Amino acid sequence: EAQVTQNPRYLITVTGKKLTVTCSQNMNHEYMSWYRQDPGLGLRQIYYSMNVEVTDKGDVPEGYKVSRKEKRNFPLILESPSPNQTSLYFCASSLTGNHSPLHFGNGTRLTVT
Amino acid sequence: AQTVTQSQPEMSVQEAETVTLSCTYDTSESDYYLFWYKQPPSRQMILVIRQEAYKQQNATENRFSVNFQKAAKSFSLKISDSQLGDAAMYFCAYRGDGGSQGNLIFGKGTKLSVKP
């Protein structure tokens, strides 16, 4: 089944403890992206990747890192999480970096205390 | 910069009736795609329907159809024969030619309730 898989679904952590949210897609998509969703602010892009080893900042990249060593994987790294990073995170992928629809993972609810 | 506006924060429809959700957008690009995504309480983001800007014909997917007015930059979603499972947040989204980081630009969403 074609899908975007992100883990974990729920994560509670403390300020400053490094964490990684994994994302994997099995559709051979070139483009991958991370979004965060917050009430009243909608979905905002954190980072994106046009292809392997090609990543760039989105609209809200501060406090996050990503890597794209393989086409299928695009992990999101929080080196030192803070409470303002409490949010719902989505990984998404698409065939190309334009026009084609984004396919979303099921989301990760992160709480930083 | 492109923007997407959904002017109806909440809508309500009776089961089996028809409802239309509004969306307007602003862009200077000529080639782009528009989408409607559904987010049920499970929080998944589910693609409902897509429309290519260069196609005149309005897209249809079963009970879902759009009214795409390119000149007016309007892209409304019509849900026919509404079902209880249609209750969700609906997001209108725009994707251009890749110059904007490949970003999918979302509206703020419309919360749809379906009454039995």
Side-chain angles (χ1 to χ4, degrees):
Chain A
E1 181 189 349
Q3 59 185 1
V4 178
T5 303
Q6 58 179 107
N7 284 297
R9 291 293 307 275
Y10 300 90
L11 182 56
I12 301 174
T13 190
V14 296
T15 299
K17 186 176 182 181
K18 181 179 178 180
L19 66 91
T20 299
V21 184
T22 63
C23 175
S24 181
Q25 51 92 5
N26 62 0
M27 296 170 279
N28 202 34
H29 284 172
E30 289 185 352
Y31 182 91
M32 297 186 75
S33 183
W34 277 101
Y35 288 83
R36 61 178 289 175
Q37 184 179 23
D38 302 288
L41 297 176
L43 287 102
R44 296 177 292 169
Q45 190 183 50
I46 302 170
Y47 267 93
Y48 66 98
S49 170
M50 290 288 191
N51 214 323
V52 177
E53 301 290 3
V54 181
T55 64
D56 210 341
K57 297 176 181 179
D59 297 322
V60 289
E62 293 77 22
Y64 304 95
K65 284 176 57 177
V66 293
S67 68
R68 186 97 181 270
K69 294 184 172 61
E70 306 163 287
K71 198 169 189 178
R72 62 183 293 126
N73 295 324
F74 191 48
L76 179 69
I77 303 157
L78 285 71
E79 295 269 4
S80 183
S82 62
N84 65 10
Q85 292 178 298
T86 292
S87 186
L88 177 60
Y89 291 87
F90 286 100
C91 180
S93 73
S94 63
L95 191 60
T96 62
N98 60 356
H99 299 159
S100 50
L102 277 171
H103 299 266
F104 285 83
N106 286 337
T108 296
R109 170 70 71 186
L110 172 65
T111 302
V112 184
T113 61
Chain B
Q2 296 81 19
T3 59
V4 176
T5 302
Q6 293 178 250
S7 59
Q8 307 151 316
E10 295 188 28
M11 292 281 285
S12 181
V13 64
Q14 205 72 31
E15 194 175 8
E17 298 292 309
T18 295
V19 64
T20 299
L21 308 184
S22 300
C23 173
T24 58
Y25 60 95
D26 191 26
T27 183
S28 59
E29 296 175 322
S30 58
D31 190 16
Y32 51 87
Y33 276 54
L34 295 163
F35 307 92
W36 279 97
Y37 282 86
K38 170 185 177 181
Q39 188 176 38
S42 65
R43 302 180 332 216
Q44 292 175 278
M45 291 292 286
I46 302 166
L47 178 66
V48 174
I49 199 166
R50 68 169 122 175
Q51 175 77 43
E52 298 156 45
Y54 64 87
K55 286 190 175 178
Q56 294 292 326
Q57 188 172 4
N58 289 324
T60 299
E61 288 285 343
N62 301 313
R63 298 182 295 106
F64 298 87
S65 61
V66 298
N67 183 4
F68 174 49
Q69 302 289 328
K70 190 172 184 180
K73 295 180 181 172
S74 170
F75 182 60
S76 61
L77 174 70
K78 185 171 84 171
I79 306 173
S80 303
D81 185 25
S82 296
Q83 300 174 1
L84 295 177
D86 294 334
M89 282 290 287
Y90 285 83
F91 293 94
C92 178
Y94 169 102
R95 197 174 199 194
D97 64 4
S100 52
Q101 310 163 177
N103 198 2
L104 196 60
I105 300 168
F106 288 89
K108 293 290 175 65
T110 297
K111 184 177 181 180
L112 178 65
S113 302
V114 181
K115 298 178 181 177

